[in-house]
Amino acid sequence: MKKENFSAYFKGKNFYISLLVGVCAVVAIAAVYVSVTTDNNKDLVDLNEPLTEIADERADMNKVTEDTDAIQEAQNANDSLLENDVVVDEKVLQEAISKTVADENKSDSGKAADNSKPDAVAVMNPGGTPNLKFNEEKGLLWPIKDNPDVIMKYSMDKGILFQTLAQYKCNPAIIIASKVGEDVLSAADGIITEISNNEETGLTLTMSIGNDYNLTFGQLKDCTVDVGDVVKEGDIIGKVADPTKYYIVEGSNLYFQVTEKGETVDPLLLLR
């Protein structure tokens, strides 16, 4: 090429286009090289750098593994517990069934034994007590000794004066004057069937003496007997209490009533 032509080439447009294409090619090759090198270095470990991050990653992986193992063990333990619970429940059920059968057998045995015993309801069934036989000819013992004074007689056919109440009314018992604290005696052999509180007669005791006779003692305190107790004639069954509000004027006394087959009887006809 001649010198003039070479100089004209560098001054021409084609030179600059070729130069630009070459530069772009070099830049593209360099970019590809850098990209490939970076990707390869991702898998390499710099031994000069601390291993903290790697250790943390491995610890996390181990923790995940341990958590998985723990979950599996817990699941196994839970399955075992459920199986054991079923076994225990079945065992408890079997024991309960056995106990129920034993209790039923024991109950049946007890019932058979009870059938061989004498009737024990006589305490609350005065007329059915076979050993109690009231002797009407012998009569009753006075429940208050030492010259008892009857201040109000039995009267069911006409009214008598109740001084405290200031009125006439029937009296199904006799009112025996007595001192507070004085002993009250059982008027016959009998069995205690009821002890209760009554507004008019205070602490009141009822006893069966046989042959459908019952005795009732009112205005008592300090009873020495309980329901079901068997007493003998003359036994102390309590003491005379302060009079209730129905007998303030009459003073301290013993209320004494006799019934035969549920009907009141004049006690003076039977007291000896």
Side-chain angles (χ1 to χ4, degrees):
M1 179 180 294
K2 293 181 178 181
K3 185 176 180 180
E4 291 82 10
N5 294 334
F6 186 77
S7 177
Y9 174 77
F10 279 103
K11 292 180 181 180
K13 183 171 62 174
N14 292 333
F15 170 74
Y16 290 103
I17 293 173
S18 299
L19 180 62
L20 179 59
V21 171
V23 171
C24 290
V26 172
V27 172
I29 293 171
V32 171
Y33 177 78
V34 171
S35 176
V36 172
T37 304
T38 302
D39 292 338
N40 292 334
N41 288 337
K42 286 183 178 180
D43 296 330
L44 299 179
V45 177
D46 188 357
L47 298 179
N48 294 323
E49 293 182 359
L51 299 179
T52 304
E53 295 182 1
I54 299 175
D56 290 341
E57 291 178 358
R58 291 182 177 177
D60 292 339
M61 293 178 64
N62 292 335
K63 183 177 180 181
V64 171
T65 303
E66 292 175 357
D67 290 345
T68 302
D69 293 340
I71 292 173
Q72 186 61 41
E73 291 179 359
Q75 184 63 39
N76 294 338
N78 185 53
D79 293 342
S80 177
L81 181 59
L82 291 176
E83 292 177 358
N84 290 336
D85 284 344
V86 172
V87 173
V88 170
D89 290 343
E90 291 178 353
K91 183 177 180 181
V92 171
L93 180 60
Q94 185 60 38
E95 291 179 352
I97 293 173
S98 300
K99 184 176 183 300
T100 301
V101 173
D103 290 342
E104 289 179 353
N105 292 336
K106 183 177 180 181
S107 177
D108 293 340
S109 177
K111 290 179 180 179
D114 291 340
N115 291 334
S116 64
K117 294 179 181 179
D119 188 6
V121 188
V123 172
M124 300 307 295
N125 184 16
T129 307
N131 295 329
L132 293 178
K133 294 182 180 180
F134 173 56
N135 188 338
E136 297 180 5
E137 294 183 0
K138 179 182 177 182
L140 299 171
L141 176 72
W142 280 87
I144 296 291
K145 59 183 180 180
D146 298 334
N147 300 319
D149 179 21
V150 177
I151 57 177
M152 294 179 67
K153 295 183 179 181
Y154 172 89
S155 179
M156 291 299 291
D157 55 352
K158 63 180 180 179
I160 61 176
L161 178 64
F162 280 69
Q163 296 182 34
T164 301
L165 300 177
Q167 68 180 23
Y168 286 85
K169 56 181 293 187
C170 294
N171 184 25
I174 60 173
I175 309 302
I176 304 173
S178 52
K179 298 178 181 179
V180 175
E182 189 171 356
D183 290 336
V184 178
L185 310 178
S186 174
D189 297 344
I191 184 170
I192 310 301
T193 57
E194 182 181 359
I195 299 177
S196 60
N197 279 292
N198 182 284
E199 184 179 16
E200 180 179 350
T201 59
L203 182 61
T204 303
L205 178 152
T206 301
M207 62 183 294
S208 169
I209 59 174
N211 297 83
D212 296 317
Y213 279 91
N214 290 286
L215 308 180
T216 300
F217 305 79
Q219 309 274 12
L220 298 177
K221 70 175 183 177
D222 301 334
C223 282
T224 59
V225 293
D226 293 319
V227 173
D229 287 352
V230 176
V231 296
K232 294 291 185 181
E233 180 184 291
D235 288 349
I236 297 175
I237 57 175
K239 296 182 181 300
V240 175
D242 292 320
T244 65
K245 63 183 179 180
Y246 289 83
Y247 296 96
I248 297 298
V249 176
E250 288 82 358
S252 58
N253 64 82
L254 174 69
Y255 176 95
F256 183 64
Q257 181 187 79
V258 179
T259 62
E260 179 186 11
K261 296 181 180 180
E263 299 293 333
T264 57
V265 177
D266 185 354
L268 293 177
L269 298 177
L270 298 171
L271 287 167
R272 59 179 185 268

